[in-house]
Amino acid sequence: VSREGAKGQEYNAMGGSPTDHVATIPFTRSLSGPFDYTPGVFDIRIKTSPDQVKTTIGKELALYTIIYAPMMMANDLPENYEGHPAFEYIKAVPTDWETTKVIDGKIGDYITIARQERKTDNWFVGAITDENPRGFQLALDFLKEGITYNATIYADGEDCHFVDNPTSYEIKNMEVTSTTTLDMNLAAGGGAAISLYPKN
């Protein structure tokens, strides 16, 4: 059972949480068990309000892997997902994990987590940052040796910014192995999500 116990996504429609809020949760509230945050907002500028959520599409996708919640949901309206290529990650990401590896992180600043889907060799990675853009290298050495994986990377676009252009994103497909290192670039307030499936 998931419980909230800290500010959830709905606070973003009431003035908003700072960008470092979800970069703090994995080190605090989430240590005590599943956390109900309800990520997945794509209507970041909020059509019915002058406010906007302090996030990006890439960050919202990454939160499905960063935040552990066996009862996850997509919190936006169906019409905001219809035909949206980035919705494929939400449809694919599981909620039941075999293995969790915290790759890197600093409380309130950034975190990168890789999780293996239970009873499969499928992996999912989420990386988020606070208001500062970040570049880093992601070694995929947690993958099984000798296997080639199909990776789909959902990342912030080059012109993405959580205030000025929060819905800019890009999707890349490539083949990777456990020896691959990816150059990752997170926009200010942004994030990235990666799905990794063994190649048939």
Side-chain angles (χ1 to χ4, degrees), residues 33-50:
F35 176 58
D36 181 18
Y37 181 77
T38 61
V41 61
F42 281 14
D43 182 19
I44 293 172
R45 296 198 185 274
I46 311 177
K47 297 182 182 75
T48 58
S49 167

Side-chain angles (χ1 to χ4, degrees), residues 3-196:
R3 306 191 87 176
E4 203 167 58
K7 285 185 178 181
Q9 183 80 279
E10 71 274 15
Y11 282 86
N12 288 318
M14 300 181 287
S17 298
T19 57
D20 62 2
H21 176 59
V22 287
T24 302
I25 288 172
F27 301 95
T28 54
R29 165 60 184 85
S30 285
L31 294 178
S32 67
F35 176 58
D36 181 18
Y37 181 77
T38 61
V41 61
F42 281 14
D43 182 19
I44 293 172
R45 296 198 185 274
I46 311 177
K47 297 182 182 75
T48 58
S49 167
D51 295 323
Q52 71 180 58
V53 183
K54 298 177 180 72
T55 190
T56 68
I57 296 289
K59 188 172 195 172
E60 287 300 301
L61 298 178
L63 290 175
Y64 282 92
T65 304
I66 296 291
I67 296 175
Y68 172 57
M71 294 183 66
M72 194 63 84
M73 64 170 285
N75 80 348
D76 213 330
L77 299 173
E79 54 264 34
N80 293 329
Y81 294 129
E82 187 175 8
H84 202 302
F87 187 59
E88 293 303 312
Y89 187 82
I90 297 176
K91 289 165 53 178
V93 69
T95 60
D96 196 13
W97 306 108
E98 185 77 34
T99 303
T100 294
K101 294 185 179 292
V102 179
I103 307 299
D104 195 12
K106 183 177 180 183
I107 299 173
D109 289 346
Y110 59 89
I111 187 166
T112 301
I113 294 178
R115 298 187 194 267
Q116 179 188 8
E117 182 179 10
R118 189 173 294 279
K119 298 181 180 179
T120 76
D121 286 323
N122 303 333
W123 284 83
F124 295 80
V125 179
I128 61 173
T129 184
D130 58 7
E131 71 278 5
N132 299 301
R134 296 188 192 279
F136 64 97
Q137 290 191 316
L138 174 62
L140 301 182
D141 52 5
F142 52 84
L143 298 176
K144 187 174 288 187
E145 291 183 13
I147 295 179
T148 298
Y149 291 76
N150 290 318
T152 303
I153 304 168
Y154 301 80
D156 297 322
E158 289 186 9
D159 58 348
C160 186
H161 187 283
F162 76 100
V163 174
D164 301 327
N165 196 12
T167 57
S168 174
Y169 72 97
E170 58 185 20
I171 300 175
K172 297 178 182 176
N173 295 289
M174 60 189 303
E175 292 184 357
V176 299
T177 68
S178 61
T179 63
T180 301
T181 298
L182 300 176
D183 291 321
M184 305 295 296
N185 290 288
L186 309 183
I194 307 172
S195 61
L196 298 140

